[in-house]
Amino acid sequence: MSALVCGCADKNDDSVKMITEATFPPYEFLRGQEIVGIDVEICRAVAQKLGKDFRSETVDFDSVIPAVISGKADLAAAGITVTEDRKKNVDFSIPYVKTGIVVIYRKDNPFKDKDQLKGRKIGVQSGTTSEMFVTDELKQEPERAKSPAEAVAALKAGRVEFVIADIDPAKNCVKGEETLAISDFITSEEYAVAIRKGQPELLKAINETIAEIKADGRLAKWVKEFTEESDKLKEK
Ligand code: ARG
């Protein structure tokens, strides 16, 4: 079954429904109308293990975790960082990547250290750990955007001074942009698949799938392929 942008979940069907936010290359992005990326392949592999059809839907990032809590979707996979707060509301699989967030800056206004961010206008994607970094660590309000790319557009236009985002979409955003650069990691994070609490069998199937795709090289292959594809899309 193909993954259409509006492959809206039908309560009575027996497929595995993935919920994501598809502006986050290479983990999830749109190839025309189709949602593709590393997270999509991970969830498709889970569906395969369960012997079920697979479908996916993209919503705002703030709505991704609520969708599995309410049962609208089975698997939330959107480069979701495991956090103590989120663990109160959902169960997480074993992690499938170690990563973190970085600062995107204009080369004519170089970023040096975290102290420099205090009191500055900082763009983030709404609902993310980048937003939490600004509200919880810097104790200020960020400029919230719908996607990392929208935040970076504000940076280019001079409406924000810095953007904070996960490293991989950040790299994609600065690809081909002569005026922009990214910092080293300012946090250390891990991505995992989130599901509604109290589903030990589903959790086991996801964990087994992640262990398998790590061991047999599929995960590494998807990382390479989808990074290349999303970089190419950026060049267009
Ligand atoms: N890793 C960050 C978080 O969990 C950002 C994830 C954003 N993902 C997305 N598909 N837009 O908050």
Side-chain angles (χ1 to χ4, degrees), residues 21 24 28 61 78-81 86 125 128-129 166 191:
E21 192 286 315
F24 200 76
E28 44 270 333
F61 187 68
I80 301 173
T81 299
R86 289 171 178 167
Q125 182 177 26
T128 60
T129 48
D166 294 52
Y191 296 163

PDB file of all heavy atoms in Angstrom, residues 21 24 28 61 78-81 86 125 128-129 166 191, ligand 1:
ATOM      1  N   GLU A  21       5.936  13.578  10.742  1.00  0.00           N
ATOM      2  CA  GLU A  21       5.873  14.980  10.292  1.00  0.00           C
ATOM      3  C   GLU A  21       6.957  15.112   9.240  1.00  0.00           C
ATOM      4  O   GLU A  21       8.142  15.125   9.573  1.00  0.00           O
ATOM      5  CB  GLU A  21       6.112  15.937  11.474  1.00  0.00           C
ATOM      6  CG  GLU A  21       5.790  17.380  11.143  1.00  0.00           C
ATOM      7  CD  GLU A  21       6.830  18.041  10.248  1.00  0.00           C
ATOM      8  OE1 GLU A  21       8.039  17.896  10.489  1.00  0.00           O
ATOM      9  OE2 GLU A  21       6.421  18.717   9.284  1.00  0.00           O
ATOM     10  N   PHE A  24      11.440  16.582   7.586  1.00  0.00           N
ATOM     11  CA  PHE A  24      12.585  16.286   8.437  1.00  0.00           C
ATOM     12  C   PHE A  24      13.529  15.310   7.742  1.00  0.00           C
ATOM     13  O   PHE A  24      13.706  14.176   8.171  1.00  0.00           O
ATOM     14  CB  PHE A  24      12.025  15.687   9.737  1.00  0.00           C
ATOM     15  CG  PHE A  24      12.946  15.733  10.926  1.00  0.00           C
ATOM     16  CD1 PHE A  24      13.156  16.907  11.623  1.00  0.00           C
ATOM     17  CD2 PHE A  24      13.572  14.574  11.371  1.00  0.00           C
ATOM     18  CE1 PHE A  24      13.970  16.926  12.754  1.00  0.00           C
ATOM     19  CE2 PHE A  24      14.396  14.588  12.493  1.00  0.00           C
ATOM     20  CZ  PHE A  24      14.590  15.769  13.183  1.00  0.00           C
ATOM     21  N   GLU A  28      12.252  11.781   7.316  1.00  0.00           N
ATOM     22  CA  GLU A  28      10.986  11.767   6.585  1.00  0.00           C
ATOM     23  C   GLU A  28      10.856  13.050   5.798  1.00  0.00           C
ATOM     24  O   GLU A  28      11.114  14.130   6.304  1.00  0.00           O
ATOM     25  CB  GLU A  28       9.748  11.592   7.490  1.00  0.00           C
ATOM     26  CG  GLU A  28       9.773  12.429   8.755  1.00  0.00           C
ATOM     27  CD  GLU A  28      10.432  11.677   9.896  1.00  0.00           C
ATOM     28  OE1 GLU A  28      10.386  10.441   9.886  1.00  0.00           O
ATOM     29  OE2 GLU A  28      10.989  12.325  10.782  1.00  0.00           O
ATOM     30  N   PHE A  61       4.270  18.505  13.872  1.00  0.00           N
ATOM     31  CA  PHE A  61       5.048  17.718  14.838  1.00  0.00           C
ATOM     32  C   PHE A  61       4.377  17.676  16.221  1.00  0.00           C
ATOM     33  O   PHE A  61       4.408  16.634  16.885  1.00  0.00           O
ATOM     34  CB  PHE A  61       6.491  18.232  14.944  1.00  0.00           C
ATOM     35  CG  PHE A  61       7.341  17.338  15.792  1.00  0.00           C
ATOM     36  CD1 PHE A  61       7.675  16.060  15.359  1.00  0.00           C
ATOM     37  CD2 PHE A  61       7.771  17.750  17.046  1.00  0.00           C
ATOM     38  CE1 PHE A  61       8.430  15.208  16.157  1.00  0.00           C
ATOM     39  CE2 PHE A  61       8.534  16.909  17.849  1.00  0.00           C
ATOM     40  CZ  PHE A  61       8.860  15.636  17.405  1.00  0.00           C
ATOM     41  N   ALA A  78       9.322  10.000  13.927  1.00  0.00           N
ATOM     42  CA  ALA A  78       9.504  11.331  13.337  1.00  0.00           C
ATOM     43  C   ALA A  78      10.802  11.922  13.858  1.00  0.00           C
ATOM     44  O   ALA A  78      10.847  13.075  14.257  1.00  0.00           O
ATOM     45  CB  ALA A  78       8.313  12.217  13.703  1.00  0.00           C
ATOM     46  N   GLY A  79      11.846  11.115  13.889  1.00  0.00           N
ATOM     47  CA  GLY A  79      13.083  11.585  14.514  1.00  0.00           C
ATOM     48  C   GLY A  79      12.794  12.013  15.941  1.00  0.00           C
ATOM     49  O   GLY A  79      13.314  13.025  16.410  1.00  0.00           O
ATOM     50  N   ILE A  80      11.965  11.227  16.630  1.00  0.00           N
ATOM     51  CA  ILE A  80      11.513  11.636  17.966  1.00  0.00           C
ATOM     52  C   ILE A  80      12.581  11.314  19.006  1.00  0.00           C
ATOM     53  O   ILE A  80      12.987  10.163  19.173  1.00  0.00           O
ATOM     54  CB  ILE A  80      10.201  10.928  18.360  1.00  0.00           C
ATOM     55  CG1 ILE A  80       9.092  11.247  17.345  1.00  0.00           C
ATOM     56  CG2 ILE A  80       9.771  11.338  19.778  1.00  0.00           C
ATOM     57  CD1 ILE A  80       7.816  10.450  17.572  1.00  0.00           C
ATOM     58  N   THR A  81      13.021  12.336  19.694  1.00  0.00           N
ATOM     59  CA  THR A  81      14.014  12.175  20.748  1.00  0.00           C
ATOM     60  C   THR A  81      13.351  11.589  21.990  1.00  0.00           C
ATOM     61  O   THR A  81      12.268  12.020  22.388  1.00  0.00           O
ATOM     62  CB  THR A  81      14.614  13.551  21.100  1.00  0.00           C
ATOM     63  OG1 THR A  81      15.238  14.071  19.925  1.00  0.00           O
ATOM     64  CG2 THR A  81      15.619  13.450  22.234  1.00  0.00           C
ATOM     65  N   ARG A  86       8.405  12.845  27.758  1.00  0.00           N
ATOM     66  CA  ARG A  86       7.634  12.057  26.785  1.00  0.00           C
ATOM     67  C   ARG A  86       7.411  10.649  27.289  1.00  0.00           C
ATOM     68  O   ARG A  86       6.379  10.035  26.993  1.00  0.00           O
ATOM     69  CB  ARG A  86       8.349  12.057  25.431  1.00  0.00           C
ATOM     70  CG  ARG A  86       8.284  13.418  24.743  1.00  0.00           C
ATOM     71  CD  ARG A  86       9.175  13.463  23.517  1.00  0.00           C
ATOM     72  NE  ARG A  86       9.071  14.754  22.825  1.00  0.00           N
ATOM     73  CZ  ARG A  86       9.901  15.168  21.890  1.00  0.00           C
ATOM     74  NH1 ARG A  86      10.911  14.388  21.520  1.00  0.00           N
ATOM     75  NH2 ARG A  86       9.732  16.343  21.323  1.00  0.00           N
ATOM     76  N   GLN A 125      11.636  24.511  15.191  1.00  0.00           N
ATOM     77  CA  GLN A 125      10.386  23.852  14.810  1.00  0.00           C
ATOM     78  C   GLN A 125       9.569  23.622  16.075  1.00  0.00           C
ATOM     79  O   GLN A 125      10.091  23.114  17.085  1.00  0.00           O
ATOM     80  CB  GLN A 125      10.650  22.512  14.110  1.00  0.00           C
ATOM     81  CG  GLN A 125       9.337  21.850  13.664  1.00  0.00           C
ATOM     82  CD  GLN A 125       9.527  20.550  12.909  1.00  0.00           C
ATOM     83  OE1 GLN A 125      10.520  19.848  13.069  1.00  0.00           O
ATOM     84  NE2 GLN A 125       8.543  20.220  12.077  1.00  0.00           N
ATOM     85  N   THR A 128       9.534  20.677  19.372  1.00  0.00           N
ATOM     86  CA  THR A 128      10.743  19.851  19.331  1.00  0.00           C
ATOM     87  C   THR A 128      11.644  20.071  20.550  1.00  0.00           C
ATOM     88  O   THR A 128      11.459  21.017  21.320  1.00  0.00           O
ATOM     89  CB  THR A 128      11.572  20.193  18.079  1.00  0.00           C
ATOM     90  OG1 THR A 128      11.929  21.583  18.152  1.00  0.00           O
ATOM     91  CG2 THR A 128      10.783  19.933  16.811  1.00  0.00           C
ATOM     92  N   THR A 129      12.656  19.233  20.658  1.00  0.00           N
ATOM     93  CA  THR A 129      13.665  19.407  21.705  1.00  0.00           C
ATOM     94  C   THR A 129      14.439  20.719  21.517  1.00  0.00           C
ATOM     95  O   THR A 129      14.977  21.251  22.480  1.00  0.00           O
ATOM     96  CB  THR A 129      14.642  18.218  21.730  1.00  0.00           C
ATOM     97  OG1 THR A 129      15.092  17.948  20.401  1.00  0.00           O
ATOM     98  CG2 THR A 129      13.971  16.975  22.295  1.00  0.00           C
ATOM     99  N   ASP A 166      17.732  19.686  14.723  1.00  0.00           N
ATOM    100  CA  ASP A 166      18.468  18.424  14.719  1.00  0.00           C
ATOM    101  C   ASP A 166      19.507  18.440  13.590  1.00  0.00           C
ATOM    102  O   ASP A 166      19.259  19.017  12.521  1.00  0.00           O
ATOM    103  CB  ASP A 166      17.501  17.256  14.516  1.00  0.00           C
ATOM    104  CG  ASP A 166      16.547  17.089  15.683  1.00  0.00           C
ATOM    105  OD1 ASP A 166      15.893  18.083  16.066  1.00  0.00           O
ATOM    106  OD2 ASP A 166      16.444  15.976  16.217  1.00  0.00           O
ATOM    107  N   TYR A 191      17.025   8.906  18.970  1.00  0.00           N
ATOM    108  CA  TYR A 191      15.691   8.740  18.388  1.00  0.00           C
ATOM    109  C   TYR A 191      15.178   7.325  18.646  1.00  0.00           C
ATOM    110  O   TYR A 191      15.940   6.354  18.574  1.00  0.00           O
ATOM    111  CB  TYR A 191      15.725   8.916  16.871  1.00  0.00           C
ATOM    112  CG  TYR A 191      16.106  10.268  16.348  1.00  0.00           C
ATOM    113  CD1 TYR A 191      16.492  10.406  15.020  1.00  0.00           C
ATOM    114  CD2 TYR A 191      16.055  11.418  17.136  1.00  0.00           C
ATOM    115  CE1 TYR A 191      16.829  11.639  14.479  1.00  0.00           C
ATOM    116  CE2 TYR A 191      16.394  12.657  16.610  1.00  0.00           C
ATOM    117  CZ  TYR A 191      16.790  12.759  15.279  1.00  0.00           C
ATOM    118  OH  TYR A 191      17.129  13.971  14.750  1.00  0.00           O
TER     119      TYR A 191
HETATM  120  N1  ARG B   1      14.302  15.237  17.615  1.00  0.00           N
HETATM  121  C1  ARG B   1      13.500  16.377  17.865  1.00  0.00           C
HETATM  122  C2  ARG B   1      12.405  16.075  18.841  1.00  0.00           C
HETATM  123  O1  ARG B   1      12.106  14.967  19.096  1.00  0.00           O
HETATM  124  C3  ARG B   1      12.885  16.933  16.588  1.00  0.00           C
HETATM  125  C4  ARG B   1      12.054  15.999  15.812  1.00  0.00           C
HETATM  126  C5  ARG B   1      11.279  16.674  14.707  1.00  0.00           C
HETATM  127  N2  ARG B   1      10.796  15.681  13.803  1.00  0.00           N
HETATM  128  C6  ARG B   1      10.094  15.921  12.685  1.00  0.00           C
HETATM  129  N3  ARG B   1       9.767  14.918  11.951  1.00  0.00           N
HETATM  130  N4  ARG B   1       9.766  17.106  12.365  1.00  0.00           N
HETATM  131  O2  ARG B   1      11.812  16.969  19.373  1.00  0.00           O
END
